[in-house]
Amino acid sequence: ETGVTQSPTHLIKTRGQQVTLRCSSQSGHNTVSWYQQALGQGPQFIFQYYREEENGRGNFPPRFSGLQFPNYSSELNVNALELDDSALYLCASSPLGRGTYTFGSGTRLTVV
Amino acid sequence: ELKVEQNPLFLSMQEGKNYTIYCNYSTTSDRLYWYRQDPGKSLESLFVLLSNGAVKQEGRLMASLDTKARLSTLHITAAVHDLSATYFCAVDGREYGNKLVFGAGTILRVKS
């Protein structure tokens, strides 16, 4: 059984740039959710993808967008980066509605 | 409003002592989760609680759920230094839009 893999592990971007983060899904899981965790805070839900469609979204602006691919892997794209986007980005895969979440190791994004 | 509140937010305790972390949530949930996070790392699943009165134990940690009071507790018995970490509770379910809603976390420091 494979776990959830995220890439890259760390990256540094300049304000205004765009970034793409990637996440594989655990075998047998058809849903991927993305969370943003700012320093010292709990993770905040960004959005969830199921069957390649967005299936719920948190309170994040449209410059946060995503994709899910036929193999259930996913991308998170953030445009026009702001300093406040600096955070740990976590993805979690799960079977839809089953409540069995497997988290990846995260991507630490620093915006300077 | 969907809220998950943890207290205390910071807990400093001596090795060998017992203590409890509390987690209150605002709306009926399907599941209650406890996670551990070490600095700079991802989330490690500790417990998933499904029903009223559920109790789970692993080592020095025991979690319980009272769905009527919308309260979960994480009890630490005879703390050891290795338990030092941040602990999050989270809930999900239809009322929460099938996403995890996290508390702010409890930073636990166990002093030798």
Side-chain angles (χ1 to χ4, degrees):
Chain A
E1 173 177 286
T2 59
V4 175
T5 303
Q6 290 188 242
S7 63
T9 54
H10 298 84
L11 75 166
I12 300 173
K13 290 285 189 177
T14 303
R15 189 171 49 183
Q17 285 188 314
Q18 177 266 343
V19 69
T20 298
L21 311 182
R22 295 179 175 83
C23 172
S24 71
S25 175
Q26 179 164 314
S27 177
H29 289 185
N30 52 17
T31 301
V32 174
S33 303
W34 286 91
Y35 294 82
Q36 181 196 65
Q37 186 179 19
L39 195 63
Q41 298 182 23
Q44 299 292 315
F45 175 74
I46 302 175
F47 43 55
Q48 181 186 87
Y49 275 83
Y50 170 65
R51 290 185 175 178
E52 303 177 52
E53 298 282 337
E54 189 178 285
N55 183 44
R57 188 179 183 92
N59 189 26
F60 281 81
R63 59 190 185 84
F64 286 78
S65 63
L67 286 172
Q68 186 181 32
F69 301 98
N71 67 354
Y72 304 128
S73 67
S74 178
E75 288 182 354
L76 164 65
N77 300 290
V78 187
N79 294 321
L81 283 166
E82 301 177 359
L83 297 179
D84 284 350
D85 296 333
S86 295
L88 179 67
Y89 288 85
L90 297 166
C91 78
S93 73
S94 62
L96 183 68
R98 294 264 304 274
T100 308
Y101 299 93
T102 301
F103 278 87
S105 57
T107 294
R108 172 73 62 186
L109 172 65
T110 302
V111 182
V112 297
Chain B
E1 182 185 353
L2 306 174
K3 291 176 69 174
V4 178
E5 295 182 336
Q6 287 182 237
N7 71 84
L9 297 182
F10 181 77
L11 177 55
S12 179
M13 55 192 299
Q14 293 289 127
E15 276 194 330
K17 298 294 187 182
N18 305 331
Y19 210 84
T20 300
I21 300 170
Y22 297 88
C23 174
N24 288 92
Y25 53 99
S26 60
T27 306
T28 302
S29 75
D30 290 347
R31 291 165 285 262
L32 190 293
Y33 303 79
W34 285 97
Y35 290 93
R36 169 182 171 145
Q37 187 175 44
D38 292 300
K41 303 295 185 182
S42 187
L43 298 170
E44 174 190 352
S45 179
L46 296 174
F47 303 107
V48 182
L49 303 171
L50 302 178
S51 57
N52 190 45
V55 177
K56 290 192 175 181
Q57 182 162 6
E58 182 72 36
R60 300 176 187 274
L61 301 178
M62 183 175 70
S64 65
L65 179 62
D66 180 343
T67 57
K68 293 178 182 176
R70 295 180 189 153
L71 170 69
S72 179
T73 61
L74 180 66
H75 187 72
I76 303 153
T77 301
V80 294
H81 181 72
D82 285 352
L83 289 178
S84 296
T86 300
Y87 293 85
F88 292 97
C89 66
V91 296
D92 77 348
R94 285 165 294 179
E95 298 287 338
Y96 294 83
N98 290 313
K99 65 180 183 291
L100 283 169
V101 178
F102 286 84
T106 297
I107 300 172
L108 174 64
R109 292 290 175 261
V110 181
K111 297 183 287 187
S112 304

mmCIF file of all heavy atoms in Angstrom, chain A residues 55-79:
data_model
loop_
_atom_site.group_PDB
_atom_site.id
_atom_site.type_symbol
_atom_site.label_atom_id
_atom_site.label_comp_id
_atom_site.label_asym_id
_atom_site.label_seq_id
_atom_site.Cartn_x
_atom_site.Cartn_y
_atom_site.Cartn_z
ATOM 1 N N ASN A 55 -14.932 19.460 -5.233
ATOM 2 C CA ASN A 55 -16.042 18.924 -4.441
ATOM 3 C C ASN A 55 -16.064 19.581 -3.067
ATOM 4 O O ASN A 55 -16.057 18.921 -2.052
ATOM 5 C CB ASN A 55 -15.878 17.402 -4.315
ATOM 6 C CG ASN A 55 -17.037 16.760 -3.573
ATOM 7 O OD1 ASN A 55 -18.195 17.084 -3.804
ATOM 8 N ND2 ASN A 55 -16.728 15.841 -2.653
ATOM 9 N N GLY A 56 -16.051 20.891 -3.059
ATOM 10 C CA GLY A 56 -16.041 21.625 -1.807
ATOM 11 C C GLY A 56 -14.843 22.543 -1.751
ATOM 12 O O GLY A 56 -13.746 22.182 -2.212
ATOM 13 N N ARG A 57 -15.050 23.734 -1.219
ATOM 14 C CA ARG A 57 -13.998 24.738 -1.181
ATOM 15 C C ARG A 57 -14.104 25.522 0.113
ATOM 16 O O ARG A 57 -15.209 25.839 0.565
ATOM 17 C CB ARG A 57 -14.141 25.688 -2.368
ATOM 18 C CG ARG A 57 -12.998 26.656 -2.526
ATOM 19 C CD ARG A 57 -13.199 27.553 -3.750
ATOM 20 N NE ARG A 57 -12.055 28.425 -3.923
ATOM 21 C CZ ARG A 57 -10.990 28.141 -4.668
ATOM 22 N NH1 ARG A 57 -10.945 27.013 -5.342
ATOM 23 N NH2 ARG A 57 -9.982 28.990 -4.763
ATOM 24 N N GLY A 58 -12.964 25.834 0.681
ATOM 25 C CA GLY A 58 -12.923 26.659 1.879
ATOM 26 C C GLY A 58 -12.859 28.132 1.510
ATOM 27 O O GLY A 58 -13.042 28.520 0.352
ATOM 28 N N ASN A 59 -12.568 28.956 2.481
ATOM 29 C CA ASN A 59 -12.572 30.402 2.297
ATOM 30 C C ASN A 59 -11.240 30.886 1.741
ATOM 31 O O ASN A 59 -10.474 31.582 2.415
ATOM 32 C CB ASN A 59 -12.886 31.078 3.640
ATOM 33 C CG ASN A 59 -13.114 32.558 3.497
ATOM 34 O OD1 ASN A 59 -13.511 33.026 2.428
ATOM 35 N ND2 ASN A 59 -12.841 33.295 4.554
ATOM 36 N N PHE A 60 -10.947 30.491 0.518
ATOM 37 C CA PHE A 60 -9.717 30.900 -0.153
ATOM 38 C C PHE A 60 -10.075 31.568 -1.474
ATOM 39 O O PHE A 60 -11.038 31.177 -2.130
ATOM 40 C CB PHE A 60 -8.809 29.685 -0.390
ATOM 41 C CG PHE A 60 -8.050 29.265 0.832
ATOM 42 C CD1 PHE A 60 -8.649 28.484 1.800
ATOM 43 C CD2 PHE A 60 -6.738 29.685 1.026
ATOM 44 C CE1 PHE A 60 -7.961 28.110 2.944
ATOM 45 C CE2 PHE A 60 -6.037 29.313 2.158
ATOM 46 C CZ PHE A 60 -6.659 28.532 3.120
ATOM 47 N N PRO A 61 -9.288 32.574 -1.893
ATOM 48 C CA PRO A 61 -9.612 33.307 -3.125
ATOM 49 C C PRO A 61 -9.394 32.447 -4.365
ATOM 50 O O PRO A 61 -8.705 31.411 -4.308
ATOM 51 C CB PRO A 61 -8.640 34.494 -3.077
ATOM 52 C CG PRO A 61 -7.502 34.022 -2.230
ATOM 53 C CD PRO A 61 -8.095 33.101 -1.208
ATOM 54 N N PRO A 62 -9.932 32.901 -5.499
ATOM 55 C CA PRO A 62 -9.836 32.132 -6.748
ATOM 56 C C PRO A 62 -8.410 31.917 -7.236
ATOM 57 O O PRO A 62 -8.169 31.031 -8.071
ATOM 58 C CB PRO A 62 -10.632 32.974 -7.753
ATOM 59 C CG PRO A 62 -11.552 33.780 -6.909
ATOM 60 C CD PRO A 62 -10.818 34.061 -5.630
ATOM 61 N N ARG A 63 -7.450 32.707 -6.739
ATOM 62 C CA ARG A 63 -6.079 32.475 -7.192
ATOM 63 C C ARG A 63 -5.517 31.150 -6.672
ATOM 64 O O ARG A 63 -4.466 30.716 -7.104
ATOM 65 C CB ARG A 63 -5.172 33.661 -6.802
ATOM 66 C CG ARG A 63 -5.090 33.942 -5.343
ATOM 67 C CD ARG A 63 -4.360 35.271 -5.089
ATOM 68 N NE ARG A 63 -4.192 35.462 -3.658
ATOM 69 C CZ ARG A 63 -3.178 34.931 -2.978
ATOM 70 N NH1 ARG A 63 -2.261 34.232 -3.608
ATOM 71 N NH2 ARG A 63 -3.080 35.139 -1.684
ATOM 72 N N PHE A 64 -6.245 30.526 -5.772
ATOM 73 C CA PHE A 64 -5.940 29.143 -5.367
ATOM 74 C C PHE A 64 -6.808 28.234 -6.235
ATOM 75 O O PHE A 64 -8.047 28.294 -6.171
ATOM 76 C CB PHE A 64 -6.265 28.898 -3.896
ATOM 77 C CG PHE A 64 -5.297 29.505 -2.931
ATOM 78 C CD1 PHE A 64 -5.333 30.856 -2.646
ATOM 79 C CD2 PHE A 64 -4.340 28.721 -2.302
ATOM 80 C CE1 PHE A 64 -4.429 31.426 -1.750
ATOM 81 C CE2 PHE A 64 -3.436 29.270 -1.401
ATOM 82 C CZ PHE A 64 -3.482 30.629 -1.137
ATOM 83 N N SER A 65 -6.177 27.416 -7.045
ATOM 84 C CA SER A 65 -6.929 26.522 -7.913
ATOM 85 C C SER A 65 -6.277 25.151 -7.898
ATOM 86 O O SER A 65 -5.141 24.991 -7.437
ATOM 87 C CB SER A 65 -6.985 27.062 -9.339
ATOM 88 O OG SER A 65 -5.680 27.125 -9.888
ATOM 89 N N GLY A 66 -6.995 24.172 -8.426
ATOM 90 C CA GLY A 66 -6.465 22.821 -8.382
ATOM 91 C C GLY A 66 -6.882 21.976 -9.552
ATOM 92 O O GLY A 66 -7.696 22.391 -10.395
ATOM 93 N N LEU A 67 -6.291 20.816 -9.599
ATOM 94 C CA LEU A 67 -6.632 19.815 -10.604
ATOM 95 C C LEU A 67 -6.550 18.452 -9.948
ATOM 96 O O LEU A 67 -5.748 18.236 -9.037
ATOM 97 C CB LEU A 67 -5.635 19.852 -11.765
ATOM 98 C CG LEU A 67 -5.687 20.992 -12.769
ATOM 99 C CD1 LEU A 67 -4.482 20.895 -13.702
ATOM 100 C CD2 LEU A 67 -6.991 20.933 -13.569
ATOM 101 N N GLN A 68 -7.352 17.538 -10.475
ATOM 102 C CA GLN A 68 -7.162 16.141 -10.124
ATOM 103 C C GLN A 68 -7.090 15.357 -11.428
ATOM 104 O O GLN A 68 -7.827 15.634 -12.374
ATOM 105 C CB GLN A 68 -8.291 15.592 -9.253
ATOM 106 C CG GLN A 68 -8.018 14.166 -8.759
ATOM 107 C CD GLN A 68 -9.138 13.591 -7.906
ATOM 108 O OE1 GLN A 68 -10.305 13.901 -8.110
ATOM 109 N NE2 GLN A 68 -8.785 12.751 -6.931
ATOM 110 N N PHE A 69 -6.212 14.388 -11.466
ATOM 111 C CA PHE A 69 -5.960 13.619 -12.679
ATOM 112 C C PHE A 69 -6.642 12.245 -12.585
ATOM 113 O O PHE A 69 -7.047 11.813 -11.502
ATOM 114 C CB PHE A 69 -4.453 13.482 -12.892
ATOM 115 C CG PHE A 69 -3.769 14.815 -13.022
ATOM 116 C CD1 PHE A 69 -3.124 15.391 -11.936
ATOM 117 C CD2 PHE A 69 -3.805 15.512 -14.224
ATOM 118 C CE1 PHE A 69 -2.525 16.629 -12.046
ATOM 119 C CE2 PHE A 69 -3.203 16.753 -14.343
ATOM 120 C CZ PHE A 69 -2.566 17.317 -13.245
ATOM 121 N N PRO A 70 -6.761 11.544 -13.741
ATOM 122 C CA PRO A 70 -7.438 10.238 -13.724
ATOM 123 C C PRO A 70 -6.847 9.244 -12.740
ATOM 124 O O PRO A 70 -7.549 8.344 -12.273
ATOM 125 C CB PRO A 70 -7.309 9.761 -15.181
ATOM 126 C CG PRO A 70 -7.234 11.032 -15.965
ATOM 127 C CD PRO A 70 -6.445 11.991 -15.102
ATOM 128 N N ASN A 71 -5.563 9.376 -12.428
ATOM 129 C CA ASN A 71 -4.959 8.453 -11.446
ATOM 130 C C ASN A 71 -5.168 8.966 -10.011
ATOM 131 O O ASN A 71 -4.557 8.436 -9.086
ATOM 132 C CB ASN A 71 -3.476 8.248 -11.728
ATOM 133 C CG ASN A 71 -2.645 9.504 -11.510
ATOM 134 O OD1 ASN A 71 -3.198 10.571 -11.257
ATOM 135 N ND2 ASN A 71 -1.346 9.374 -11.624
ATOM 136 N N TYR A 72 -5.996 9.975 -9.836
ATOM 137 C CA TYR A 72 -6.374 10.572 -8.558
ATOM 138 C C TYR A 72 -5.313 11.488 -7.954
ATOM 139 O O TYR A 72 -5.567 12.079 -6.902
ATOM 140 C CB TYR A 72 -6.805 9.517 -7.523
ATOM 141 C CG TYR A 72 -7.924 8.625 -7.998
ATOM 142 C CD1 TYR A 72 -7.825 7.237 -7.934
ATOM 143 C CD2 TYR A 72 -9.080 9.181 -8.525
ATOM 144 C CE1 TYR A 72 -8.849 6.427 -8.382
ATOM 145 C CE2 TYR A 72 -10.113 8.375 -8.980
ATOM 146 C CZ TYR A 72 -9.985 6.993 -8.904
ATOM 147 O OH TYR A 72 -10.990 6.185 -9.353
ATOM 148 N N SER A 73 -4.152 11.601 -8.579
ATOM 149 C CA SER A 73 -3.187 12.569 -8.081
ATOM 150 C C SER A 73 -3.732 13.978 -8.311
ATOM 151 O O SER A 73 -4.710 14.175 -9.053
ATOM 152 C CB SER A 73 -1.837 12.383 -8.757
ATOM 153 O OG SER A 73 -1.924 12.707 -10.128
ATOM 154 N N SER A 74 -3.094 14.957 -7.674
ATOM 155 C CA SER A 74 -3.658 16.300 -7.688
ATOM 156 C C SER A 74 -2.568 17.359 -7.696
ATOM 157 O O SER A 74 -1.422 17.102 -7.293
ATOM 158 C CB SER A 74 -4.546 16.490 -6.449
ATOM 159 O OG SER A 74 -5.083 17.804 -6.375
ATOM 160 N N GLU A 75 -2.928 18.531 -8.173
ATOM 161 C CA GLU A 75 -2.076 19.713 -8.115
ATOM 162 C C GLU A 75 -2.808 20.846 -7.435
ATOM 163 O O GLU A 75 -4.032 20.983 -7.572
ATOM 164 C CB GLU A 75 -1.689 20.175 -9.519
ATOM 165 C CG GLU A 75 -0.713 19.302 -10.236
ATOM 166 C CD GLU A 75 -0.345 19.857 -11.609
ATOM 167 O OE1 GLU A 75 -0.948 20.863 -12.041
ATOM 168 O OE2 GLU A 75 0.546 19.270 -12.243
ATOM 169 N N LEU A 76 -2.046 21.647 -6.716
ATOM 170 C CA LEU A 76 -2.534 22.903 -6.164
ATOM 171 C C LEU A 76 -1.739 24.013 -6.825
ATOM 172 O O LEU A 76 -0.501 23.977 -6.812
ATOM 173 C CB LEU A 76 -2.329 22.936 -4.645
ATOM 174 C CG LEU A 76 -2.426 24.295 -3.955
ATOM 175 C CD1 LEU A 76 -3.838 24.856 -4.056
ATOM 176 C CD2 LEU A 76 -2.017 24.177 -2.483
ATOM 177 N N ASN A 77 -2.428 24.961 -7.426
ATOM 178 C CA ASN A 77 -1.795 26.105 -8.063
ATOM 179 C C ASN A 77 -2.168 27.372 -7.313
ATOM 180 O O ASN A 77 -3.338 27.564 -6.956
ATOM 181 C CB ASN A 77 -2.255 26.231 -9.516
ATOM 182 C CG ASN A 77 -1.910 25.012 -10.332
ATOM 183 O OD1 ASN A 77 -0.760 24.758 -10.632
ATOM 184 N ND2 ASN A 77 -2.917 24.211 -10.674
ATOM 185 N N VAL A 78 -1.181 28.188 -7.088
ATOM 186 C CA VAL A 78 -1.434 29.478 -6.458
ATOM 187 C C VAL A 78 -0.817 30.549 -7.334
ATOM 188 O O VAL A 78 0.393 30.520 -7.623
ATOM 189 C CB VAL A 78 -0.851 29.570 -5.031
ATOM 190 C CG1 VAL A 78 -1.292 30.876 -4.375
ATOM 191 C CG2 VAL A 78 -1.264 28.379 -4.191
ATOM 192 N N ASN A 79 -1.643 31.478 -7.784
ATOM 193 C CA ASN A 79 -1.179 32.601 -8.613
ATOM 194 C C ASN A 79 -0.962 33.832 -7.768
ATOM 195 O O ASN A 79 -1.505 33.945 -6.658
ATOM 196 C CB ASN A 79 -2.220 32.906 -9.696
ATOM 197 C CG ASN A 79 -2.360 31.783 -10.698
ATOM 198 O OD1 ASN A 79 -1.360 31.158 -11.082
ATOM 199 N ND2 ASN A 79 -3.577 31.498 -11.097
#
